Amino acid sequence: MSAAPAAPRAASADRTPGTITDLLLSPPVPRAGWRLLPARVIAMCAVELQKLRHDRTELYTRAVQPALWLLIFGQTFTRIRAIPTGGVPYIDFMAPGIIAQSAMFIAIFYGIQIIWERDAGILNKLLVTPTPRSALITGKAFAAGVKSLIQAIVVIAIAAVLGVALTWNPLKLLGVGAAVVLASVFFSCLSMTIAGIVLNRDRLMGFGQAITMPLFFGSNALYPVSVMPGWLQAVSKVNPLSYQVDALRGLLLGTPAHLGTDFAVLLVAAALGIAAASSLLGRLAR
């Protein structure tokens, strides 16, 4: 007589791990270790850049000032030939300085936005998330760098139309982009650091206007360091904008430059700026 067929195994009411139901009811495992910070930085940078989709007027209006510098100041002083530039036409010599200036002007007032986020209650919501404060600052700083890079492309296009002899070597242009982004990271973090000290938009506007012109005129953007008085040469040596302009001239025009030193200073300045702004971010939320 044959054996009776085995009864089917009873289904368990418990969820088995790895099923679709388990994935729906259980939260995903968060990123950990070295993957956490880059992912949060990229997310914050993407959120900041989304604002450009709704309002691009800032990019257009900010292109007016560098265009006027090149059209009026640059062409006039090219004819006067009053500033020694080592045989380089003055408008060519000036173009990298105007690129650096326009990028700095975008980044130096970035702290106003973070104060607005504090007043709107957005900053407090961001600070209670698991995102490290350094990731919040770094994401915003690199978003400022991308905006400055777009502005730099506009200025380079204007300079090319005016006949400035710029290089089109892809590797050198990548170096130009890196110099613009690193300097913008520093200046935006400087702005956010000041915001963490003054805690007020009006005061920040005053500080921003007070330091932009000294930073610009205390650099080698408009004239070589050799024609400066001694005290201004000392200021230029500690001004990160001077190292950015030196790198841009070396890459775009092929003039003698100290690219290793320039990028090292910009990298250290950006890192110190991120650290300073991150340490003061909590004061804005109080």
Side-chain angles (χ1 to χ4, degrees), residues 115 193-201 203-204 207 283:
I115 293 178
T193 300
I194 297 173
I197 296 172
V198 300
L199 307 175
N200 183 279
R201 277 180 286 183
R203 293 174 186 169
L204 180 59
F207 273 95
R283 294 191 76 240

Side-chain angles (χ1 to χ4, degrees), residues 43-262:
M44 286 303 306
C45 184
V47 168
E48 291 293 318
L49 293 177
Q50 284 291 326
K51 299 172 184 177
L52 287 178
R53 296 179 57 187
H54 304 289
D55 187 9
R56 298 186 180 92
T57 56
E58 179 185 359
L59 297 178
Y60 305 143
T61 56
R62 288 189 178 275
V64 174
Q65 186 176 10
L68 292 176
W69 274 96
L70 290 172
L71 283 168
I72 300 174
F73 196 86
Q75 291 194 339
T76 300
F77 273 74
T78 298
R79 295 189 177 189
I80 295 175
R81 299 180 181 178
I83 300 177
T85 57
V88 178
Y90 183 73
I91 192 171
D92 294 18
F93 178 86
M94 179 186 178
I98 299 304
I99 294 171
Q101 178 219 43
S102 60
M104 180 188 69
F105 280 10
I106 286 178
I108 202 67
F109 292 104
Y110 216 76
I112 296 175
Q113 182 176 340
I114 203 169
I115 293 178
W116 177 86
E117 290 180 353
R118 186 274 311 274
D119 295 340
I122 299 173
L123 184 60
N124 286 331
K125 294 177 182 178
L126 290 174
L127 289 175
V128 298
T129 65
T131 304
R133 294 180 180 181
S134 58
L136 292 174
I137 292 295
T138 306
K140 290 180 177 294
F142 274 94
V146 174
K147 291 181 180 180
S148 299
L149 186 59
I150 297 172
Q151 181 72 26
I153 293 172
V154 173
V155 178
I156 288 174
I158 295 172
V161 171
L162 294 176
V164 177
L166 302 174
T167 183
W168 299 107
N169 184 312
L171 292 178
K172 291 186 177 181
L173 291 178
L174 285 176
V176 169
V180 169
V181 170
L182 285 175
S184 298
V185 167
F186 167 73
F187 289 119
S188 62
C189 287
L190 175 62
S191 179
M192 288 186 280
T193 300
I194 297 173
I197 296 172
V198 300
L199 307 175
N200 183 279
R201 277 180 286 183
D202 294 333
R203 293 174 186 169
L204 180 59
M205 282 290 293
F207 273 95
Q209 292 172 354
I211 65 176
T212 48
M213 286 297 104
L215 283 171
F216 179 51
F217 289 109
S219 72
N220 56 352
L222 297 179
Y223 28 72
V225 177
S226 58
V227 303
M228 298 180 183
W231 65 270
L232 192 56
Q233 291 185 17
V235 171
S236 179
K237 289 181 180 179
V238 297
N239 186 353
L241 190 67
S242 295
Y243 296 92
Q244 181 191 10
V245 174
D246 187 67
L248 294 179
R249 282 205 183 104
L251 292 168
L252 288 173
L253 303 180
T255 57
H258 310 84
L259 294 179
T261 302
D262 295 335

